[in-house]
Amino acid sequence: MVLSFTKEVQRMKKSNSLCFLLFFILIIFSFNALAQSQFKISGHVIDSLKKPIEGVSIRLITDQDTLRTNSDEKGGFSFVKTPKTKFYLSVTALGYKPFNSIYEIESLKKNAVLDPIMLQTETIRLEDVQVKVKIDPIKIKKDTIEYNAGAYTVRENDKVEDLLRQLQGIEIDTKGAVTAMGKKMTKLRVNGEDFFTNNVEDYIRQLPADIIAKVQVIEDYGDEANFTGIKTGTPQKMLNLVTKPGLGKGIFGGVDLNSATSNAHNLGAKGNVWKNNKQIGFGGRYGLTNNEFSTLNNGALNGNIRDRISKEFSIHGSYDFSNGTNRSVQSNYLETFNPQGTIYDLRESVNHSNSLTNDINLGLNGSTAKNYFNVSLAGALADTRNEASSTSNKSGIIRQDLSSNSGSRNNNPNLNGSINWSRRLSNNKRSLSMGINFGTNGGKTVSSINDMIRYYNETTNILLKDSILNRLVEHNASSSNFGGNIQFSNSLKKATDSTGYNFINVSYRFMVSRSRNQQTTTVNHPLGNSFVVDSLGQDYVSSFINQNISIGYNANKNQLSYNFGINFSPSIIIGQYRDTGQKLKNYQLNFSPLANLSYQIKDNESLSFDYLGYTSSPDFNKLQPIRNNNDVQNLIIGNPDLKATSSHTADLSYNKFGLKSGLSMMANLSGTFAINSVVSNTVFLRDTLNSLKQQTTYENVNGIYNIGLNYDVNKRLLDNRLSLSIDGNVAYNHNVFYTDNVLNRSKGINVSNALKFNLSQKKYNFNTSASYSFSSNTYSVMNQNIKNVQVVALSGSASWIPGKHFRLNASASKSLNFGYSLYAGNPLLVNLGLNTSFLKDNRLLFSVQANDLFNQGALFSTSITNNSISENRTRFISRFIQATLSYNLRHFGNKNSRLNSNINAEE
């Protein structure tokens, strides 16, 4: 028994030892596994002003556990034992909108630092007490209007274009062209840096709206002016997008395919890589349309790159290729007033064209503390073929019918470049800038024109006779230019003075251009023989030399920046007939003041003024003294004695926004006038068949000017979700021209006003507008002929998001048109659409759009030129259904940035 007990004890000891060993091994592996799966996550919480928020409640949720913590006085927080690489973060704080997002970090990173989490303020209701923190939607500075994107409604899948449409003073047309208070945006930057090709229209339709924190509209005087601080001339509108923290880089693009019942089909693809200072983009598109009004077969490829090759230098380049055919049908109605009577001309035309273009742009930029350097080179090669058939039916004082068929081929290569350099001298108290620019282009056009004119009795309208004229016109044109500039500025203050700067600057610019025009006209006789008409041929060379000497004073203080000075512009035009050796010369001296002013009256209220004068040479085709009979009913002869035109422009802008009232006002008053404007002189002559025809020459006149006012008054309510606005423009034009060698004048008044209502929510959007426009034109011809056109328009649109992946939209408009000669109708346009999304991050989108359900659309326009009113109507299929399938690729920020910023919450 004792032996048996001893053996049992030994067996138990061995068993306990084995269990202990197994338990020890298990503990080791558990600790090892735990050590491998635990991560430290840290970050910061800030508000929209980038200030830290203390006491924020933060929950980190995984499929295993929920961890909790609060932010410290610096807004910081951390989780030291996070068991998973993928987790859900919930951030809440009193007075701020909740933030919820999914994160995924790299498994190799043991200490992951998240991008700063920005909380947006929200309205809080505590029983009967409402605490409301307003987001300032607009900030107005001396030369910048800044919009806070957080104050506007951004929905899922919205692009920057959708955000811009909500901003006061900004308009976007159907082609994506952006204007700010009537002025077109010419440059795009993101976070203050040039963005890909700087094409505003293209990239506002690619970039998602939810990565944007601010939108800035900047009065841009150019990179050289920003470097030297000497801002002269008329500024251009620049759009700068400021992204949210951590989202200033990424990959975006996609593929889209659409097909419409109008037998129009398109396939396109775009891709962009944006990484720090490197930007690489590419794209391609192919479209096919074939219906009764238009035929299109177009393809395009493009690529671009922008990269910083060193700390000081960056390069950029782009290439665009396009090839396509186009067929279009147009109607044109022209009324021309004359002391002898009025001419009514109804024209119908069908045009076929085939074009191939190549464009390349290259550039090198450099900047240091003391130097700025820029080199650019651009070239293009275009080959275009065109065939057209048209009819012209004239009535009134001329009763003729014209049938014309023509074919032409045009080859047009060109090359342009510039080199600019600036340097700050002697402790930045002085600066020196120099530059050169050059360009050359050529063109060869061969046109075959076949015309038949029918003549009628002026009283009985009986056909009397017809005339056939067939001719071949070969036209060779070439031009080149070379110019340069030098500018020196000297500070009138000490370098240590921090109150601002004062500079006096002197500049000199010159431009030399030379053009040559050769034309040969061969007339084909109906019997078969042909001959060259010497009177319709030419070999003419012209040169234009223009110089500009400017002296100005430039100052910049905290609230006020201004400069003023004067320009002297001597110029000369020299013409020479190569066949006879005869020369013509025309000397001229113009001078004009220049001025710029930007004044910050107080917070969110600014005033700016710009004035500039410049000299330009007459168009070459208006200088050549050889008859152009491409339009046999209106011959054109240039005037080699024309003088250069001196143009003057002035612009006054006022902007104001009240944070408490939510009321903002933007206004822009602009005007232009010119000295030695080039205008037409139309006379009536008898042709060989004793019928009237027109002949147009050109003269210099004074007295042409125009003035216009654009305004926009906006009131925002309901935490910026509701917007009421009234905007419009008023313009007055005064023109001078000749008719039958008699000086005449025309006056035009254009008024347009619109009342708009917009309500934007996350789930729905509704906007409507009522507008009225009036145009009146008075001529000092034939007892003050008056042409009045009025348009009353009502429009509305709405969108609704019933679920996470669906969006419905509808729009309707009704126009009442009065005063048109062509039938404009009073169309009612109704459109309906459905969008739905699939896959992760809604990358796959499908949409169906029904356009113009009642088939009443038309592309209609009118224009005024001297004593003529032109109304154009382009025919196209307006009622169609289009289906679009697109796959969008977008990823912005680092790998450890949030994957989706809009999960179950508003950012």
Side-chain angles (χ1 to χ4, degrees), residues 68 196 244 261 328 382 400 461 497 508 541 588 624 632 651 661 715 785 815:
R68 293 177 173 84
F196 288 89
K244 295 176 181 177
T261 56
S328 62
Q400 294 177 2
N461 287 331
D497 193 336
Y508 170 77
V541 177
Q588 192 172 340
Q624 59 184 16
V632 295
D651 187 277
S661 64
K715 174 72 173 179
N785 285 278
S815 298

Side-chain angles (χ1 to χ4, degrees), residues 7-111:
K7 290 181 177 180
E8 184 65 21
V9 172
Q10 292 176 349
R11 187 185 65 80
M12 291 178 64
K13 288 183 177 180
K14 291 181 179 180
S15 177
N16 290 338
S17 299
L18 182 60
C19 290
F20 180 80
L21 180 61
L22 292 175
F23 178 76
F24 179 77
I25 294 174
L26 180 61
I27 291 297
I28 293 298
F29 276 100
S30 298
F31 271 108
N32 186 56
L34 184 62
Q36 291 181 355
S37 63
Q38 289 183 346
F39 306 89
K40 180 180 179 181
I41 307 298
S42 60
H44 284 80
V45 184
I46 58 176
D47 60 16
S48 58
L49 299 177
K50 298 183 180 181
K51 295 182 179 180
I53 306 175
E54 183 181 1
V56 176
S57 176
I58 304 163
R59 291 187 302 159
L60 188 151
I61 305 171
T62 67
D63 55 1
Q64 294 180 351
D65 198 2
T66 298
L67 305 177
R68 293 177 173 84
T69 188
N70 295 316
S71 60
D72 57 25
E73 68 278 2
K74 296 182 179 180
F77 69 89
S78 64
F79 295 95
V80 295
K81 295 182 179 181
T82 305
K84 293 287 186 178
T85 59
K86 189 173 183 179
F87 53 87
Y88 182 87
L89 204 64
S90 175
V91 182
T92 57
L94 185 65
Y96 297 90
K97 295 179 181 180
F99 173 88
N100 300 277
S101 184
I102 293 176
Y103 288 84
E104 187 172 11
I105 62 174
E106 296 180 1
S107 58
L108 297 178
K109 289 187 176 181
K110 299 303 179 183
N111 296 301

Side-chain angles (χ1 to χ4, degrees), residues 538 540 542 573-575 577 584-586 617-628 636-644 677-681 696-701 738 741:
Q538 66 167 319
Y540 183 74
S542 69
I573 299 175
I574 302 173
Y577 301 95
L584 301 171
K585 291 185 179 181
N586 188 315
S617 170
D619 181 82
F620 178 75
N621 293 320
K622 296 177 181 179
L623 287 169
Q624 59 184 16
I626 304 302
R627 286 190 300 165
N628 182 337
I636 298 176
I637 302 177
N639 179 4
D641 295 325
L642 290 176
K643 298 179 180 180
S677 300
V678 177
V679 300
S680 62
N681 180 17
T696 299
T697 56
Y698 299 96
E699 304 289 342
N700 286 114
V701 298
Y738 282 93
N741 298 314

